[in-house]
Amino acid sequence: MKKRVVVALGHRALGTTLPEQKEAVKYTARTIAGLIEAGYQVAVTHSNAPQVGMIHTAMNEFGRVHQDYTAAPMSVCSAMSQGYIGYDLQNGIREELLNRGIYRTVSTILTQVVVDPYDEAFYTPTKVLGRYMTAEEANEERRKGNYVVEEPGKGYRRVVSAPNPVSIVEIDAVKALMDADQIVIACGGGGIPVLQQDNHLKGASAVIEKDLAAGKMAEEIDADELIILTSVEKVKINIGRPEEEELGEITLGQAKEYMEAGHFGKYNMLPKFSASVAFIEKREGRSALITSFDKLEEALKGKTGTVIK
């Protein structure tokens, strides 16, 4: 049987602007195609921070200028980012596979992720996004029930919550495509956060950490490995101290110890380790790899990267 993996793409794999994304995806597609050519069964998820911020700003500016239009909620902005990032990714991967003589369907699934309405994150929003606003505009946002934060000398910006993923609504579709040996792009940007109210799904004013959603997807499709591509070749502990150390292969127990000791930034490496630990704990034989985008090939040969087993 083929080894089933979930690959979480960081910002570097996508760029920021539309032209940057077009160019970045060419290299990203070669990396994903390399995995498929090597015999891996691949599901892909990706970040969307610059893209969803751009969409949020554009849609809200449009609503501000045209009085008959309302501002777009975060759930809609997230859906739009999944669509246009997935469009570039699936076409890039398809083209690269065909160039290698491999025909395989590549599909993007618009993915919703259920979150808990009582998640503590809703009481302490942390994710800043969108354009800078005046004090008057910030007050208007507050009147709508939204959170804003002031950046001295620059203005005010929206701040939203980052709750944990509970379940993936479209997971059966992801599984069906994976079982058919197709390439799936899902849970982009952490998925569209939704609140489940009986049979109704209501979009939440939030974002989900991409790595946590990747771990949840890997768990639910019963993947063998979670691969998180980021900006560093190996994760470090004791950063900036004489005892600074790069982590190679470590155990699940060691990973937990480093997390509890506070070695990882809350919004940087900690979600990656949290996702990896939660995924590995669910079944024996699983592993997680954290490395940089350009070192993946070497890391898969055991020459670099941080591996948790």
Side-chain angles (χ1 to χ4, degrees):
M1 291 180 64
K2 291 184 177 181
K3 190 173 186 179
R4 180 173 286 191
V5 300
V6 169
V7 181
L9 301 172
H11 164 65
R12 186 178 171 190
L14 299 172
T16 300
T17 65
L18 271 69
E20 279 183 13
Q21 180 171 299
K22 282 282 188 185
E23 196 58 37
V25 161
K26 293 178 183 178
Y27 186 69
T28 302
R30 289 197 290 272
T31 300
I32 300 300
L35 282 170
I36 294 159
E37 194 170 35
Y40 289 87
Q41 194 176 50
V42 180
V44 179
T45 188
H46 56 80
S47 65
N48 74 339
Q51 290 85 354
V52 79
M54 177 176 62
I55 292 168
H56 182 267
T57 299
M59 295 300 290
N60 282 280
E61 280 297 289
F62 187 83
R64 187 177 64 84
V65 174
H66 300 274
Q67 298 302 315
D68 293 336
Y69 291 85
T70 59
M74 276 303 302
S75 55
V76 171
C77 295
S78 179
M80 293 173 75
S81 74
Q82 282 192 23
Y84 107 78
I85 294 172
Y87 164 67
D88 277 346
L89 267 179
Q90 70 181 37
N91 284 341
I93 295 168
R94 175 185 178 276
E95 181 178 341
E96 183 61 31
L97 288 173
L98 289 174
N99 289 342
R100 300 181 187 209
I102 302 169
Y103 177 77
R104 200 75 56 81
T105 301
V106 187
S107 303
T108 299
I109 297 181
L110 196 66
T111 320
Q112 301 172 95
V113 176
V114 176
V115 297
D116 183 350
Y118 301 106
D119 192 305
E120 289 185 6
F122 282 113
Y123 305 101
T124 55
T126 56
K127 295 289 185 178
V128 180
L129 80 161
R131 68 177 180 86
Y132 288 101
M133 298 177 288
T134 64
E136 183 180 351
E137 290 171 324
N139 287 332
E140 181 60 31
E141 288 295 324
R142 291 191 184 99
R143 282 193 287 271
K144 294 177 186 175
N146 296 324
Y147 291 90
V148 297
V149 63
E150 182 179 6
E151 295 186 18
K154 295 182 178 180
Y156 300 81
R157 296 178 74 189
R158 275 283 306 277
V159 57
V160 297
S161 305
N164 288 318
V166 173
S167 62
I168 300 167
V169 177
E170 290 78 16
I171 196 62
D172 287 341
V174 176
K175 287 178 181 177
L177 292 173
M178 293 293 289
D179 290 343
D181 203 23
Q182 297 185 18
I183 296 97
V184 183
I185 301 163
C187 290
I192 304 162
V194 292
L195 303 171
Q196 190 155 11
Q197 302 170 339
D198 295 324
N199 292 329
H200 177 66
L201 297 174
K202 176 180 173 58
S205 183
V207 295
I208 299 171
E209 287 282 359
K210 170 261 302 177
D211 298 312
L212 297 181
K216 175 61 69 174
M217 182 164 72
E219 175 192 325
E220 295 198 11
I221 66 170
D222 196 23
D224 301 294
E225 186 172 6
L226 173 63
I227 299 174
I228 299 176
L229 300 180
T230 184
S231 59
V232 296
E233 182 176 342
K234 289 184 176 182
V235 179
K236 294 181 179 180
I237 58 173
N238 299 313
I239 295 175
R241 303 175 189 171
E243 61 271 30
E244 182 174 289
E245 178 187 355
E246 288 185 333
L247 300 177
E249 184 173 315
I250 61 174
T251 66
L252 186 63
Q254 287 174 308
K256 290 180 177 180
E257 287 175 12
Y258 294 139
M259 289 167 63
E260 290 169 4
H263 283 285
F264 310 122
K266 187 175 181 181
Y267 305 115
N268 185 14
M269 282 300 162
L270 186 58
K272 295 169 175 50
F273 268 72
S274 297
S276 299
V277 166
F279 164 66
I280 294 168
E281 281 184 321
K282 296 296 189 299
R283 176 170 67 76
E284 288 187 10
R286 287 177 171 173
S287 63
L289 167 64
I290 303 173
T291 192
S292 61
F293 192 74
D294 54 348
K295 294 293 182 178
L296 177 59
E297 188 174 346
E298 291 179 47
L300 290 172
K301 296 175 182 177
K303 295 180 179 180
T304 189
T306 296
V307 178
I308 308 169
K309 290 187 174 181

